[in-house]
Amino acid sequence: MEITRNGSQPSLKAPTEHFTGIVRIDPLFQTSEPARTGGAYVTFEPCSRSDWHTHPLGQTLIVTSGYGLVQRWGGPIEEIRAGDVVLAAPGEKHWHGASPTTAMTHIAIQESLDGKNVDWLEKVIDEQYNAWLSGKNSQG
């Protein structure tokens, strides 16, 4: 058994090559072989988001606070709030982040396959992100 004490791992600024805006990653755990699961708290400031990406074995997001957005390739942008759980299937292209006005924190859990847990793709451009706001405004 291993206990990792709160505050024993430093917070990290998410790399700008894979995220837009201000995003903080607080590592939670990374298992050792033969296990392959890792997890982190990820906090997105308003308007911040990940790039489009996939996970070879999928990803589970547990929203712990705030109000965010998530989208799978070809689908609508969906709202997520504290208590929601998002399951991205293996290889499913998606992005996630905060709403335009509210920060969002989630626990991200994913497994590694051959040492890799994510494949980063293109940026979510402002027009894609703002499409949610346009759709929301047109709904009245």
Side-chain angles (χ1 to χ4, degrees), residues 67-88:
Y67 174 40
L69 305 173
V70 65
Q71 183 180 24
R72 72 181 74 189
W73 187 254
I77 296 173
E78 300 198 44
E79 301 174 16
I80 53 176
R81 292 181 170 82
D84 291 348
V85 177
V86 179
L87 301 174

Side-chain angles (χ1 to χ4, degrees), residues 40-83:
Y41 276 114
V42 184
T43 300
F44 297 83
E45 291 299 317
C47 293
S48 299
R49 56 199 179 263
S50 70
D51 291 354
W52 287 101
H53 60 285
T54 64
H55 298 276
L57 296 174
Q59 182 181 49
T60 301
L61 304 176
I62 303 165
V63 183
T64 59
S65 66
Y67 174 40
L69 305 173
V70 65
Q71 183 180 24
R72 72 181 74 189
W73 187 254
I77 296 173
E78 300 198 44
E79 301 174 16
I80 53 176
R81 292 181 170 82

